[in-house]
Amino acid sequence: MNAVPVNYYIILSAILFTIGALGVLIRRNALVIFMSIELMLNAANLALVAFSSANAQLDGQIFVFFIMTVAAAEVAVGLALIVAVFRTKKSIDVDQINVLKG
Amino acid sequence: MTVFIILALVAIITALGMLISRNAVYSALFLVLNFATVAVFYLLLGAPFIAITQVTVYAGAIMVLFLFVIMLLGTDELEDTDNLTWQRPLAIGLAVVLVVEGIYLMLSQNTLGFITTPSEDLGSPQAIGDMLFSKYLLPFEATSILLLVAMVGAIVLTVKNKKGEQS
């Protein structure tokens, strides 16, 4: 197998990150926005593992492990928030959630 | 190289499918496919432990949680309310500019290094465990507290008020 430059991995990571950012900007379903945030975290993980592999340093993979833990915690709390908002608003359209009052 | 290009195409197409599809369930399934592709990338990069963690934590636990909430709320499709008219093309244009700029920056630079066939013991579970319990012991313990707080927070947010108040 011939070698792949790290730049290609970083380009792929940038493309995935931008698709995630675009999802946050143009979608209004709160769940899809959450999935886009997961996609962005994943793109950052891919860049970290690519650099870790290119430099033969293990620290990047440890960081990815911690990022995954934080993402799991974030998803648990975020989905609980979405469920709580849905109970009061009967909708998860983020355009409807423009009032802080419950 | 060919493996990289094919996998990259699959990853980008599934990410776009997640973005475009109207139904939230389809978005979640596209995202599962995308996470699986990234797990294969991790295997290519010589990180088998991270690849397995990716499949179990992301594609397994997190996406099951997403699908569960989508089914629970029953809001897989939203009707179109056109509150954002001019922002949407602007967002797409800015995203295209960002991608083109990033690709140009990465291609115009000297290469940052090459990924060859990974060595056997670099990303092995044993090496990761050694490092996790020696150099990164304090962050590892902090992670356990973080998970506990997230668990308590999720329960507190979703538990129903028992004192008769309906909300």
Side-chain angles (χ1 to χ4, degrees), chain B residues 27-137:
Chain B
S27 291
L29 293 179
F30 270 122
L31 199 56
V32 170
L33 201 53
N34 189 30
F35 286 162
T37 319
V38 175
V40 179
F41 270 122
Y42 291 158
L43 283 180
L44 272 183
L45 288 165
F49 179 73
I50 297 295
I52 294 301
T53 317
Q54 167 94 1
V55 170
T56 51
V57 173
Y58 266 117
I62 290 183
M63 293 321 290
V64 165
L65 206 58
F66 265 112
L67 284 174
F68 190 79
V69 170
I70 292 171
M71 306 281 178
L72 178 74
L73 300 184
T75 54
D76 42 357
E77 284 183 76
L78 291 178
E79 65 274 13
D80 262 347
T81 53
D82 271 338
N83 289 352
L84 298 171
T85 50
W86 57 272
Q87 283 97 337
R88 187 170 294 206
L90 182 67
I92 294 173
L94 287 177
V96 169
V97 168
L98 183 62
V99 163
V100 169
E101 189 183 4
I103 290 176
Y104 171 74
L105 200 65
M106 274 298 138
L107 287 183
S108 64
Q109 275 182 351
N110 294 327
T111 182
L112 302 164
F114 286 97
I115 306 223
T116 50
T117 309
S119 66
E120 189 74 20
D121 54 343
L122 176 64
S124 69
Q126 187 187 357
I128 292 209
D130 276 345
M131 198 170 226
L132 206 55
F133 286 108
S134 58
K135 189 177 173 187
Y136 291 97
L137 185 60

Side-chain angles (χ1 to χ4, degrees), chain A residues 82-93:
Chain A
I82 288 178
V83 169
V85 165
F86 183 78
R87 273 196 198 139
T88 56
K89 286 280 185 185
K90 301 297 174 213
S91 168
I92 52 168
D93 191 335

Side-chain angles (χ1 to χ4, degrees), chain A residues 32-56:
Chain A
V32 179
I33 288 178
F34 234 96
M35 290 181 210
S36 303
I37 293 174
E38 294 303 312
L39 188 63
M40 286 196 276
L41 283 169
N42 224 28
N45 282 353
L46 184 62
L48 276 174
V49 175
F51 279 127
S52 154
S53 179
N55 296 325

Side-chain angles (χ1 to χ4, degrees), chain A residues 59-91:
Chain A
D59 299 78
Q61 297 186 18
I62 307 276
F63 282 167
V64 168
F65 183 74
F66 286 131
I67 290 173
M68 278 179 185
T69 324
V70 172
E74 173 227 332
V75 162
V77 176
L79 287 178
L81 275 173
I82 288 178
V83 169
V85 165
F86 183 78
R87 273 196 198 139
T88 56
K89 286 280 185 185
K90 301 297 174 213
S91 168

Side-chain angles (χ1 to χ4, degrees), chain A residues 3 11 15 32 45 54 58 73 81 95 97:
Chain A
I11 289 172
I15 291 173
V32 179
N45 282 353
L58 208 51
L81 275 173
D95 280 349
I97 313 169

